[in-house]
Short mmCIF file of all heavy atoms in Angstrom, two decimals:
data_model
loop_
_atom_site.label_atom_id
_atom_site.label_comp_id
_atom_site.label_asym_id
_atom_site.label_seq_id
_atom_site.Cartn_x
_atom_site.Cartn_y
_atom_site.Cartn_z
N SER A 26 195.23 73.78 154.83
CA SER A 26 195.82 74.60 153.77
C SER A 26 195.59 73.96 152.41
O SER A 26 195.27 74.64 151.44
CB SER A 26 197.33 74.78 154.00
OG SER A 26 197.56 75.41 155.23
N LYS A 27 195.74 72.65 152.36
CA LYS A 27 195.56 71.94 151.09
C LYS A 27 194.12 72.05 150.61
O LYS A 27 193.87 72.27 149.42
CB LYS A 27 195.96 70.47 151.25
CG LYS A 27 195.82 69.68 149.94
CD LYS A 27 196.42 68.30 150.04
CE LYS A 27 196.27 67.57 148.70
NZ LYS A 27 196.92 66.26 148.70
N GLU A 28 193.17 71.90 151.53
CA GLU A 28 191.75 71.98 151.15
C GLU A 28 191.43 73.33 150.50
O GLU A 28 190.66 73.40 149.55
CB GLU A 28 190.86 71.76 152.37
CG GLU A 28 190.78 70.30 152.80
CD GLU A 28 189.93 70.12 154.04
OE1 GLU A 28 189.11 71.01 154.33
OE2 GLU A 28 190.09 69.09 154.71
N MET A 29 192.04 74.39 151.01
CA MET A 29 191.78 75.73 150.47
C MET A 29 192.34 75.88 149.05
O MET A 29 191.85 76.69 148.27
CB MET A 29 192.41 76.79 151.37
CG MET A 29 191.73 76.93 152.73
SD MET A 29 192.60 78.08 153.79
CE MET A 29 192.44 79.59 152.87
N LEU A 30 193.38 75.11 148.72
CA LEU A 30 194.04 75.26 147.42
C LEU A 30 193.63 74.21 146.39
O LEU A 30 194.04 74.29 145.24
CB LEU A 30 195.56 75.21 147.62
CG LEU A 30 196.17 76.41 148.35
CD1 LEU A 30 197.64 76.15 148.65
CD2 LEU A 30 196.00 77.69 147.55
N VAL A 31 192.82 73.24 146.80
CA VAL A 31 192.38 72.21 145.85
C VAL A 31 191.56 72.87 144.75
O VAL A 31 190.71 73.73 145.00
CB VAL A 31 191.54 71.13 146.57
CG1 VAL A 31 190.81 70.25 145.56
CG2 VAL A 31 192.44 70.27 147.45
N GLY A 32 191.85 72.50 143.52
CA GLY A 32 191.14 73.08 142.38
C GLY A 32 190.66 72.01 141.43
O GLY A 32 190.66 70.82 141.75
N SER A 33 190.27 72.42 140.25
CA SER A 33 189.82 71.48 139.22
C SER A 33 190.09 72.09 137.85
O SER A 33 190.39 73.28 137.73
CB SER A 33 188.32 71.20 139.39
OG SER A 33 187.57 72.40 139.23
N GLY A 34 189.98 71.26 136.84
CA GLY A 34 190.21 71.74 135.48
C GLY A 34 191.48 71.16 134.89
O GLY A 34 192.24 70.47 135.57
N THR A 35 191.70 71.45 133.63
CA THR A 35 192.86 70.93 132.90
C THR A 35 193.93 72.00 132.76
O THR A 35 193.66 73.12 132.33
CB THR A 35 192.43 70.45 131.49
OG1 THR A 35 191.51 69.37 131.64
CG2 THR A 35 193.63 69.97 130.69
N ILE A 36 195.14 71.65 133.15
CA ILE A 36 196.29 72.55 133.05
C ILE A 36 197.28 71.98 132.04
O ILE A 36 197.70 70.82 132.16
CB ILE A 36 197.02 72.70 134.42
CG1 ILE A 36 196.02 72.98 135.55
CG2 ILE A 36 198.08 73.79 134.33
CD1 ILE A 36 195.27 74.28 135.43
N LEU A 37 197.63 72.77 131.03
CA LEU A 37 198.66 72.37 130.08
C LEU A 37 200.01 72.90 130.55
O LEU A 37 200.12 74.08 130.90
CB LEU A 37 198.36 72.92 128.68
CG LEU A 37 197.00 72.57 128.06
CD1 LEU A 37 196.96 73.04 126.60
CD2 LEU A 37 196.69 71.09 128.14
N VAL A 38 201.00 72.04 130.60
CA VAL A 38 202.32 72.42 131.11
C VAL A 38 203.39 72.12 130.07
O VAL A 38 203.46 71.01 129.54
CB VAL A 38 202.65 71.63 132.41
CG1 VAL A 38 204.07 71.96 132.87
CG2 VAL A 38 201.64 71.93 133.50
N ALA A 39 204.22 73.12 129.75
CA ALA A 39 205.37 72.92 128.86
C ALA A 39 206.64 73.23 129.64
O ALA A 39 206.85 74.36 130.09
CB ALA A 39 205.27 73.80 127.62
N GLU A 40 207.49 72.22 129.81
CA GLU A 40 208.75 72.35 130.55
C GLU A 40 209.71 71.32 129.98
O GLU A 40 209.39 70.14 129.89
CB GLU A 40 208.50 72.10 132.04
CG GLU A 40 209.73 71.82 132.87
CD GLU A 40 210.73 72.95 132.90
OE1 GLU A 40 210.40 74.04 133.39
OE2 GLU A 40 211.87 72.75 132.40
N ASP A 41 210.89 71.77 129.53
CA ASP A 41 211.80 70.85 128.85
C ASP A 41 212.60 69.97 129.80
O ASP A 41 213.04 68.89 129.41
CB ASP A 41 212.74 71.62 127.92
CG ASP A 41 213.64 72.59 128.67
OD1 ASP A 41 213.13 73.35 129.51
OD2 ASP A 41 214.85 72.60 128.41
N GLU A 42 212.80 70.38 131.04
CA GLU A 42 213.56 69.54 131.98
C GLU A 42 212.62 68.51 132.60
O GLU A 42 211.69 68.85 133.33
CB GLU A 42 214.23 70.40 133.04
CG GLU A 42 215.33 71.29 132.47
CD GLU A 42 216.22 71.87 133.54
OE1 GLU A 42 216.64 71.12 134.44
OE2 GLU A 42 216.49 73.07 133.47
N ALA A 43 212.89 67.25 132.32
CA ALA A 43 211.98 66.17 132.71
C ALA A 43 211.72 66.14 134.21
O ALA A 43 210.58 65.95 134.64
CB ALA A 43 212.55 64.82 132.25
N ILE A 44 212.74 66.35 135.03
CA ILE A 44 212.56 66.25 136.48
C ILE A 44 211.63 67.35 136.99
O ILE A 44 210.79 67.11 137.85
CB ILE A 44 213.93 66.29 137.21
CG1 ILE A 44 213.75 65.89 138.67
CG2 ILE A 44 214.60 67.65 137.09
CD1 ILE A 44 215.06 65.60 139.37
N ILE A 45 211.74 68.55 136.43
CA ILE A 45 210.85 69.64 136.84
C ILE A 45 209.44 69.39 136.31
O ILE A 45 208.45 69.62 137.02
CB ILE A 45 211.37 71.00 136.34
CG1 ILE A 45 212.77 71.27 136.91
CG2 ILE A 45 210.41 72.13 136.74
CD1 ILE A 45 213.38 72.58 136.46
N ARG A 46 209.36 68.92 135.08
CA ARG A 46 208.05 68.63 134.46
C ARG A 46 207.29 67.60 135.29
O ARG A 46 206.09 67.76 135.57
CB ARG A 46 208.26 68.13 133.04
CG ARG A 46 206.99 67.98 132.23
CD ARG A 46 207.29 67.75 130.76
NE ARG A 46 208.02 66.52 130.50
CZ ARG A 46 209.26 66.48 130.01
NH1 ARG A 46 209.92 67.59 129.73
NH2 ARG A 46 209.86 65.32 129.79
N GLU A 47 207.97 66.56 135.72
CA GLU A 47 207.33 65.51 136.51
C GLU A 47 206.91 66.03 137.88
O GLU A 47 205.85 65.67 138.40
CB GLU A 47 208.27 64.32 136.66
CG GLU A 47 208.46 63.55 135.35
CD GLU A 47 209.63 62.59 135.40
OE1 GLU A 47 210.15 62.34 136.51
OE2 GLU A 47 210.03 62.08 134.34
N LEU A 48 207.74 66.89 138.47
CA LEU A 48 207.39 67.47 139.77
C LEU A 48 206.14 68.34 139.67
O LEU A 48 205.23 68.25 140.50
CB LEU A 48 208.56 68.31 140.30
CG LEU A 48 209.69 67.56 140.99
CD1 LEU A 48 210.86 68.49 141.23
CD2 LEU A 48 209.22 66.94 142.30
N ILE A 49 206.10 69.18 138.64
CA ILE A 49 204.94 70.05 138.44
C ILE A 49 203.68 69.21 138.24
O ILE A 49 202.62 69.51 138.82
CB ILE A 49 205.17 70.99 137.24
CG1 ILE A 49 206.26 72.01 137.58
CG2 ILE A 49 203.87 71.71 136.84
CD1 ILE A 49 206.73 72.83 136.39
N GLU A 50 203.80 68.16 137.44
CA GLU A 50 202.65 67.29 137.18
C GLU A 50 202.14 66.67 138.48
O GLU A 50 200.93 66.69 138.77
CB GLU A 50 203.04 66.19 136.19
CG GLU A 50 201.88 65.28 135.82
CD GLU A 50 202.26 64.25 134.77
OE1 GLU A 50 203.47 64.01 134.59
OE2 GLU A 50 201.35 63.69 134.15
N ARG A 51 203.04 66.14 139.29
CA ARG A 51 202.64 65.49 140.54
C ARG A 51 202.03 66.50 141.52
O ARG A 51 201.03 66.21 142.18
CB ARG A 51 203.85 64.83 141.20
CG ARG A 51 204.33 63.58 140.48
CD ARG A 51 205.50 62.97 141.20
NE ARG A 51 206.10 61.90 140.42
CZ ARG A 51 207.19 61.25 140.80
NH1 ARG A 51 207.80 61.58 141.92
NH2 ARG A 51 207.68 60.28 140.06
N ILE A 52 202.64 67.67 141.60
CA ILE A 52 202.13 68.69 142.52
C ILE A 52 200.71 69.08 142.16
O ILE A 52 199.81 69.08 143.00
CB ILE A 52 203.06 69.93 142.51
CG1 ILE A 52 204.41 69.60 143.16
CG2 ILE A 52 202.39 71.10 143.26
CD1 ILE A 52 205.49 70.64 142.88
N LEU A 53 200.49 69.43 140.89
CA LEU A 53 199.17 69.90 140.47
C LEU A 53 198.13 68.77 140.52
O LEU A 53 196.98 69.01 140.90
CB LEU A 53 199.24 70.50 139.08
CG LEU A 53 200.05 71.81 138.96
CD1 LEU A 53 200.09 72.29 137.52
CD2 LEU A 53 199.47 72.89 139.87
N GLN A 54 198.52 67.57 140.15
CA GLN A 54 197.60 66.44 140.26
C GLN A 54 197.20 66.21 141.72
O GLN A 54 196.05 65.87 142.01
CB GLN A 54 198.22 65.17 139.68
CG GLN A 54 198.26 65.15 138.16
CD GLN A 54 198.91 63.90 137.61
OE1 GLN A 54 199.64 63.19 138.32
NE2 GLN A 54 198.68 63.62 136.34
N GLY A 55 198.14 66.41 142.62
CA GLY A 55 197.86 66.24 144.04
C GLY A 55 196.85 67.23 144.58
O GLY A 55 196.26 67.00 145.63
N TYR A 56 196.65 68.32 143.85
CA TYR A 56 195.67 69.33 144.27
C TYR A 56 194.42 69.32 143.39
O TYR A 56 193.68 70.29 143.37
CB TYR A 56 196.32 70.72 144.28
CG TYR A 56 197.16 70.96 145.51
CD1 TYR A 56 198.46 70.50 145.58
CD2 TYR A 56 196.63 71.62 146.63
CE1 TYR A 56 199.23 70.68 146.72
CE2 TYR A 56 197.39 71.81 147.76
CZ TYR A 56 198.69 71.34 147.81
OH TYR A 56 199.44 71.53 148.94
N GLY A 57 194.21 68.23 142.67
CA GLY A 57 192.95 68.04 141.98
C GLY A 57 192.90 68.37 140.50
O GLY A 57 191.86 68.23 139.87
N TYR A 58 194.01 68.81 139.93
CA TYR A 58 194.01 69.22 138.53
C TYR A 58 194.32 68.05 137.58
O TYR A 58 195.08 67.15 137.93
CB TYR A 58 195.02 70.34 138.29
CG TYR A 58 194.69 71.62 139.02
CD1 TYR A 58 195.31 71.92 140.24
CD2 TYR A 58 193.75 72.51 138.51
CE1 TYR A 58 195.01 73.08 140.92
CE2 TYR A 58 193.44 73.68 139.20
CZ TYR A 58 194.07 73.96 140.41
OH TYR A 58 193.75 75.10 141.09
N ASN A 59 193.74 68.11 136.40
CA ASN A 59 194.11 67.22 135.31
C ASN A 59 195.27 67.90 134.59
O ASN A 59 195.13 69.05 134.15
CB ASN A 59 192.92 67.00 134.38
CG ASN A 59 193.30 66.20 133.15
OD1 ASN A 59 194.03 65.22 133.25
ND2 ASN A 59 192.82 66.63 131.99
N VAL A 60 196.40 67.24 134.47
CA VAL A 60 197.60 67.88 133.93
C VAL A 60 198.07 67.16 132.66
O VAL A 60 198.19 65.93 132.64
CB VAL A 60 198.75 67.87 134.97
CG1 VAL A 60 199.96 68.62 134.44
CG2 VAL A 60 198.28 68.48 136.28
N ILE A 61 198.30 67.93 131.61
CA ILE A 61 198.84 67.39 130.36
C ILE A 61 200.18 68.08 130.11
O ILE A 61 200.24 69.31 130.06
CB ILE A 61 197.88 67.63 129.18
CG1 ILE A 61 196.51 67.00 129.49
CG2 ILE A 61 198.46 67.04 127.89
CD1 ILE A 61 195.44 67.31 128.46
N CYS A 62 201.24 67.29 129.95
CA CYS A 62 202.59 67.86 129.86
C CYS A 62 203.21 67.73 128.47
O CYS A 62 202.92 66.78 127.73
CB CYS A 62 203.50 67.17 130.88
SG CYS A 62 203.10 67.56 132.59
N TYR A 63 204.07 68.70 128.16
CA TYR A 63 204.80 68.73 126.89
C TYR A 63 206.24 69.15 127.19
O TYR A 63 206.49 69.83 128.19
CB TYR A 63 204.18 69.75 125.92
CG TYR A 63 202.68 69.57 125.73
CD1 TYR A 63 201.79 70.14 126.63
CD2 TYR A 63 202.18 68.83 124.67
CE1 TYR A 63 200.41 69.97 126.48
CE2 TYR A 63 200.81 68.66 124.50
CZ TYR A 63 199.94 69.24 125.41
OH TYR A 63 198.58 69.07 125.25
N ASP A 64 207.17 68.76 126.31
CA ASP A 64 208.57 69.11 126.59
C ASP A 64 209.04 70.37 125.87
O ASP A 64 210.21 70.74 125.95
CB ASP A 64 209.51 67.94 126.30
CG ASP A 64 209.46 67.48 124.85
OD1 ASP A 64 208.80 68.17 124.02
OD2 ASP A 64 210.06 66.44 124.53
N ASN A 65 208.13 71.04 125.15
CA ASN A 65 208.47 72.32 124.54
C ASN A 65 207.19 73.07 124.17
O ASN A 65 206.10 72.48 124.09
CB ASN A 65 209.38 72.14 123.32
CG ASN A 65 208.71 71.39 122.19
OD1 ASN A 65 207.88 71.96 121.47
ND2 ASN A 65 209.03 70.11 122.04
N GLY A 66 207.30 74.36 123.93
CA GLY A 66 206.15 75.19 123.63
C GLY A 66 205.47 74.85 122.32
O GLY A 66 204.25 74.96 122.19
N GLU A 67 206.26 74.42 121.35
CA GLU A 67 205.70 74.09 120.04
C GLU A 67 204.72 72.91 120.14
O GLU A 67 203.63 72.93 119.56
CB GLU A 67 206.82 73.76 119.06
CG GLU A 67 206.34 73.49 117.65
CD GLU A 67 207.51 73.21 116.72
OE1 GLU A 67 207.92 72.03 116.62
OE2 GLU A 67 208.02 74.16 116.11
N ALA A 68 205.11 71.88 120.90
CA ALA A 68 204.25 70.71 121.07
C ALA A 68 202.95 71.10 121.77
O ALA A 68 201.87 70.64 121.40
CB ALA A 68 204.98 69.64 121.87
N LEU A 69 203.05 71.95 122.80
CA LEU A 69 201.84 72.41 123.49
C LEU A 69 200.95 73.21 122.55
O LEU A 69 199.73 72.99 122.51
CB LEU A 69 202.22 73.24 124.72
CG LEU A 69 201.08 73.69 125.62
CD1 LEU A 69 201.54 73.81 127.07
CD2 LEU A 69 200.47 75.02 125.17
#
């Protein structure tokens, strides 16, 4: 299942709750994506 969902590319993520932001980053990185995170939409 993981092999089918592995991807590539850069994903920008804006999420103000640190625990959710870190989870999203780890999840997407685990499937091959380069992830750049921000804590609000303005920063992104």
Side-chain angles (χ1 to χ4, degrees):
S26 300
K27 181 171 181 176
E28 284 178 21
M29 291 175 63
L30 291 172
V31 167
S33 61
T35 297
I36 312 297
L37 304 187
V38 176
E40 164 61 63
D41 62 312
E42 292 195 46
I44 192 167
I45 300 179
R46 188 169 63 246
E47 289 166 12
L48 279 170
I49 291 170
E50 183 176 18
R51 288 181 189 176
I52 291 165
L53 293 178
Q54 285 179 342
Y56 280 83
Y58 296 98
N59 174 42
V60 184
I61 303 173
C62 291
Y63 308 85
D64 60 8
N65 64 77
E67 184 178 88
L69 185 149

